[in-house]
Amino acid sequence: MFSTKLVATFATLAAFAASAVANPDAVSLQGRAELGEMVKPKAGTVWKVGTTMPVWWFLDYLAPDRYDGKLYLNYAGEGPSGDHHTGNAPIASGFDVMTGKLDILVPNVKPGDQYTITLYTGEKQLTEPSHEFTITQV
């Protein structure tokens, strides 16, 4: 009886793993949000233009196009969704999103305290926007 339950458990895990490989977009873990989480920058963090700052994120699934990571700097409160990219180009691109972190050079943007970061791969948004943080001039 024990071995039957064990075999059934392994069969279920194998089926889940096969579906994840076949269609990673369709995989969601029970109780988890579809979008990953931006861990850094945290709320209240202050970035200075021209410095290098860490960005960390957590994904609980294997992202498609994992080597086409893009980080966008957003300014909250503008645009139809409440956030808009501060420029058409990402502030970092072409990295493996599964590493979970990247150091970026803070771009020369208008000082403000409602900035967020969002992670994409291709056109697919992978994370919720980060908590709001501040960017100042040096």
Side-chain angles (χ1 to χ4, degrees):
M1 177 157 180
F2 174 73
S3 63
T4 304
K5 286 184 180 180
L6 189 60
V7 168
T9 301
F10 281 122
T12 301
L13 288 172
F16 178 76
S19 69
V21 171
N23 187 1
D25 281 337
V27 175
S28 66
L29 301 177
Q30 259 185 347
R32 298 277 185 159
E34 288 225 5
L35 293 176
E37 175 187 3
M38 293 302 295
V39 179
K40 281 188 178 181
K42 295 182 180 209
T45 298
V46 177
W47 285 7
K48 292 183 180 177
V49 169
T51 62
T52 301
M53 297 299 294
V55 176
W56 294 2
W57 59 89
F58 174 76
L59 301 177
D60 56 4
Y61 55 88
L62 180 62
D65 303 322
R66 66 184 274 184
Y67 296 105
D68 188 27
K70 296 175 185 170
L71 284 172
Y72 283 95
L73 180 65
N74 313 298
Y75 191 72
E78 297 181 17
S81 66
D83 279 347
H84 84 283
H85 301 322
T86 55
N88 292 332
I91 58 171
S93 63
F95 56 89
D96 180 357
V97 300
M98 299 311 292
T99 62
K101 62 183 178 178
L102 188 69
D103 289 335
I104 63 151
L105 180 65
V106 180
N108 188 8
V109 293
K110 179 176 100 173
D113 60 2
Q114 292 183 314
Y115 283 98
T116 63
I117 296 276
T118 309
L119 176 66
Y120 283 76
T121 182
E123 298 299 314
K124 181 175 173 47
Q125 182 176 344
L126 297 180
T127 64
E128 294 286 346
S130 68
H131 292 285
E132 291 182 358
F133 62 96
T134 300
I135 295 181
T136 64
Q137 294 290 328
V138 178

